[in-house]
Amino acid sequence: MRFILRRLGFYLIAFWASITLNFLLPRFMPGDPVSRMFARTQGKMQPEQIDALRKLLGVDDRPIWEQYIDYLHNIVTGNMGISISRFPAPVTEVIAAQIGWTLLLGGTALVIAAVAGNLLGILAAWRRGGAIDSALPPVLIFIGSFPYFWLAMGALYLFGVILGWSPLRHAFSDGAEPGFTSEFLSDVGAHLVLPALTIVLVSIGGWMLGMRNTMIATNSEDYITMAEAKGLRPGRIMFRYAARNAMLPSVTSFGMSLGFVVGGAMLTEVVFAYPGVGYQLLNAVQGLDYPLMQGLFLTITAAVLLANFMVDVLYVRLDPRVRNN
Amino acid sequence: MTTAILKQPTEPTAARKPNRSFVHGLRTNKKAMTGTAVMLVFIALALLAPVLFPGDPSRITDMASLEPSPEHWLGTTAKGQDVLALTVHGSRSSLFVGLTVGFASTFIGILVGLASAYFGKFIDEALSLATNVFLLLPGLPLLVILAAFLPPGLGTVILVLVVTGWAGSARVLRSQALSIRSKDFVAAAVVSGERAGRIMFREILPNMASIVMGTLLACVIYGIGAQAGLEFLGLGDVSTVSWGNNLFWAGNEGALLTGSWWVFVPSGVCIALVAFALALINYAVDEVTNPRLRKIKTPKDTERSAAK
């Protein structure tokens, strides 16, 4: 319990740091974002919008601590202002419409990559120098060396443009009726396959090598020799004795990768025009939609922190040693 | 960008003078030698770019979208630029940013990691907290936000990449420094009244050579990849010639949709080759310093595979 409270404190500090960063950035950066935006929209902004923006971005004349308190109050009450590019929708509404797609894409890819990668790692370590152990790592490291967006575009070109197996953009076809119908769900699935597969392809190597290297250490432990001497079935030794004890670093990586789910799917979303928070963030940056940009960054950070906290709680259950110190 | 591979902190190889056997191990390691050779070729190309392809590679001509031919080995872009010249010139900015980011982040990582491990207590708590917070902040979105607020330019790209990149190395280096901190020779140095700076940089740091090198290589890979990603999103300095910008323009001019694959392929392959070469050296460092990862069949393994 004390461990969990300590971690909770840590995440609160991390969240405070990121909201403060978010507060400070527009105030201490050179240039005046509001004028830049005003020029961009060619005077189409309403006076009250300009006022609200000045307040949000801290270009008004109040003392900085007063602005800070106001800002913290807004965040706590979930008021992140009005989106400029999607006026008059509130930032929170825009984000709520998109976070689901990001979770679907990133979550699917992460689970597949982690499960498959760990299994491959277990097998590779179990048969040192075997086919999986010698052939896969170099191939995966080589694939992982390519810039992710480059691979994704190549895959899109090959499977989307040339072969026509995969839809080119978005999360579902234009004109499809959203709802829990089998028709719509299979349409969503078809749009999900290629983006998810490309993420799996580049991230699976990390899982595999991490698991392989810890497994190699575990395999030379005495209790493995003991289990072998007892004549247990190899499969049982491999999963129950060796892999189980080598799993913990993977659990930690899983927590860290949850950051990849929300933030790191950004390039995927951009390449595939997938309507998640990452794609929206780039649009917000390009459209100088500062309120939306800040709201998205905070949401992404909050999601990452929350996910990591949940993994920490899980970790306590998995590793009793954590509880004791 | 792939997820960072969590490094298992390796035990320091013996104490004191590991350096000679370490260098020897690398020189006889095939992976290390292949990686180094590839890197040397790219560094030579980057240095010789103005000699090989004089003039401005991004100059617009009327020879648009030509396929590879003896005149233009890698064809031309939609704006009539020679792709080979763009690629060779691009290596300058990409390698420069990658190396600068790598060295700067590793340097910060060394400072934070050593101070954390050496002083412990409050300093360790504070530095570890900062490191962990930076590790948790989602990298690419932070990169994008920072790039959006800062004026565009090479300096911004480097600054942003160092800010988002140092924490990982700090954490790895701290855990290694901690295990050396607890060794007897460090305690002896403390008792004999040596200054803190001297103990950290002369006693502890030399024993971390291999892990510092691994961190540096990983940071350079990160720098090159992240710069490319940032520029691909159009958030770098689009006026410079670099591999990331080449890909940004290729995408912008619809190179793939018009079937001009030769515009799109070279810069991506170059990034991959450099990253792969650095990764090879990194794996070689791991193999040389961590005997368990070497490809030697222990009797136990042979027995096990025989049993199957």
Side-chain angles (χ1 to χ4, degrees):
Chain A
M1 204 54 210
R2 260 197 65 201
F3 170 78
I4 291 181
L5 285 179
R6 246 183 88 98
R7 294 305 290 168
L8 186 62
F10 164 72
Y11 287 113
L12 286 177
I13 292 176
F15 189 61
W16 169 79
S18 67
I19 54 180
T20 304
L21 185 75
N22 219 358
F23 170 81
L24 291 177
L25 267 178
R27 283 166 180 79
F28 288 99
M29 287 303 160
D32 173 3
V34 177
S35 327
R36 240 197 288 174
M37 235 155 74
F38 190 73
R40 168 69 76 93
T41 52
Q42 281 150 356
K44 267 183 270 174
M45 283 165 67
Q46 306 297 316
E48 57 266 38
Q49 257 183 289
I50 298 178
D51 277 354
L53 250 183
R54 287 201 182 283
K55 222 171 130 187
L56 184 79
L57 296 174
V59 223
D60 58 3
D61 303 323
R62 291 176 305 149
I64 194 113
W65 61 266
E66 220 172 277
Q67 294 179 28
Y68 188 55
I69 294 190
D70 223 33
Y71 170 82
L72 288 182
H73 181 256
N74 276 341
I75 295 219
V76 172
T77 52
N79 174 14
M80 299 201 213
I82 307 286
S83 162
I84 303 297
S85 57
R86 303 202 158 201
F87 187 78
V91 166
T92 40
E93 218 168 83
V94 179
I95 296 173
Q98 263 140 354
I99 189 122
W101 293 114
T102 296
L103 293 177
L104 175 69
L105 172 60
T108 313
L110 173 63
V111 170
I112 295 176
V115 171
N118 278 315
L119 278 177
L120 286 174
I122 292 171
L123 288 174
W126 196 249
R127 302 192 185 180
R128 280 300 290 284
I132 297 178
D133 189 33
S134 34
L136 263 186
V139 173
L140 289 174
I141 295 167
F142 186 66
I143 291 176
S145 302
F146 282 92
Y148 168 72
F149 58 88
W150 191 89
L151 282 178
M153 285 179 81
L156 188 63
Y157 178 61
L158 183 63
F159 297 109
V161 178
I162 295 186
L163 296 171
W165 292 353
S166 165
L168 292 182
R169 302 162 66 77
H170 306 310
F172 52 88
S173 310
D174 291 340
E177 193 73 41
F180 283 95
T181 58
S182 60
E183 206 178 321
F184 181 70
L185 290 181
S186 68
D187 188 41
V188 168
H191 282 76
L192 185 65
V193 174
L194 198 56
L197 268 187
T198 52
I199 302 181
V200 169
L201 190 66
V202 290
S203 53
I204 199 170
W207 292 107
M208 178 183 168
L209 288 172
M211 188 63 190
R212 170 185 175 268
N213 290 356
T214 12
M215 261 294 267
I216 287 171
T218 327
N219 278 350
S220 57
E221 294 285 344
D222 288 339
Y223 60 81
I224 300 290
T225 317
M226 171 72 179
E228 282 174 342
K230 280 201 291 188
L232 295 180
R233 278 184 298 110
R236 189 182 161 86
I237 305 174
M238 177 161 74
F239 286 108
R240 288 289 188 80
Y241 287 69
R244 200 186 161 143
N245 286 297
M247 270 314 283
L248 283 176
S250 276
V251 173
T252 315
S253 317
F254 193 83
M256 308 277 305
S257 303
L258 285 166
F260 188 76
V261 167
V262 195
M266 186 167 174
L267 284 167
T268 324
E269 293 178 359
V270 170
V271 170
F272 292 92
Y274 207 81
V277 288
Y279 185 50
Q280 190 62 50
L281 179 60
L282 184 67
N283 284 340
V285 166
Q286 284 167 344
L288 297 179
D289 188 344
Y290 290 96
L292 183 55
M293 204 161 104
Q294 295 202 299
L296 282 166
F297 180 67
L298 270 194
T299 311
I300 293 172
T301 317
V304 170
L305 296 178
L306 189 69
N308 275 277
F309 179 64
M310 291 187 328
V311 170
D312 275 347
V313 173
L314 176 73
Y315 205 96
V316 178
R317 288 186 63 91
L318 288 178
D319 188 356
R321 282 170 299 182
V322 180
R323 261 172 273 170
N324 300 332
N325 50 44
Chain B
M1 268 155 284
T2 46
T3 36
I5 298 166
L6 282 184
K7 273 211 151 163
Q8 298 305 310
T10 39
E11 276 293 305
T13 38
R16 315 309 335 239
K17 298 202 168 173
N19 291 345
R20 205 170 43 159
S21 65
F22 174 56
V23 170
H24 176 78
L26 281 185
R27 291 190 60 160
T28 51
N29 186 300
K30 253 194 217 159
K31 285 181 188 157
M33 285 295 100
T34 316
T36 311
V38 173
M39 280 314 291
L40 287 177
V41 169
F42 272 104
I43 289 170
L45 277 181
L47 292 176
L48 292 175
V51 184
L52 294 172
F53 297 94
D56 180 10
S58 51
R59 198 168 52 90
I60 296 169
T61 70
D62 53 2
M63 294 172 291
S65 299
L66 299 179
E67 279 187 38
S69 65
E71 290 86 62
H72 299 281
W73 289 0
L74 293 177
T76 59
T77 68
K79 286 195 292 218
Q81 301 146 332
D82 185 73
V83 175
L84 183 60
L86 277 180
T87 311
V88 173
H89 273 270
S91 63
R92 296 168 74 85
S93 165
S94 294
L95 289 184
F96 174 73
V97 170
L99 289 173
T100 314
V101 168
F103 276 99
S105 334
T106 308
F107 181 69
I108 299 176
I110 289 174
L111 287 186
V112 172
L114 279 183
S116 226
Y118 180 79
F119 293 110
K121 298 196 186 98
F122 176 72
I123 292 181
D124 185 26
E125 291 273 333
L127 289 177
S128 296
L129 180 71
T131 309
N132 287 331
V133 167
F134 269 90
L135 264 181
L136 267 184
L137 291 183
L140 194 58
L142 180 61
L143 220 59
V144 169
I145 295 272
L146 285 173
F149 278 114
L150 290 162
L154 201 63
T156 299
V157 173
I158 292 175
L159 178 74
V160 165
L161 294 181
V162 173
V163 166
T164 53
W166 65 272
S169 54
R171 185 149 94 166
V172 174
L173 294 172
R174 172 182 171 269
S175 62
Q176 175 83 352
L178 264 182
S179 82
I180 297 174
R181 174 73 175 89
S182 60
K183 294 269 186 297
D184 288 341
F185 68 89
V186 178
V190 174
V191 172
S192 67
E194 286 202 54
R195 280 183 299 111
R198 206 190 139 77
I199 300 178
M200 282 193 279
F201 292 101
R202 289 287 174 78
E203 307 280 347
I204 300 181
L205 189 59
N207 286 293
M208 295 168 56
S210 65
I211 204 138
V212 167
M213 189 165 162
T215 312
L216 175 68
L217 292 167
C219 285
V220 175
I221 297 177
Y222 164 79
I224 291 177
Q227 182 204 16
L230 206 56
E231 288 176 340
F232 171 71
L233 294 176
L235 296 169
D237 181 1
V238 289
S239 60
T240 54
V241 177
S242 69
W243 291 334
N245 275 328
N246 290 348
L247 292 170
F248 167 72
W249 289 115
N252 229 17
E253 292 158 7
L256 277 184
L257 294 176
T258 58
S260 314
W261 53 267
W262 59 86
V263 182
F264 181 71
V265 170
S267 290
V269 171
C270 284
I271 297 173
L273 280 177
V274 169
F276 188 59
L278 293 170
L280 275 183
I281 304 177
N282 206 353
Y283 277 94
V285 171
D286 276 353
E287 277 182 4
V288 170
T289 48
N290 187 356
R292 273 178 175 165
L293 294 179
R294 256 176 250 167
K295 266 197 181 154
I296 298 168
K297 282 205 167 183
T298 60
K300 199 169 158 187
D301 284 319
T302 331
E303 224 170 81
R304 192 177 287 143
S305 40
K308 288 202 177 109

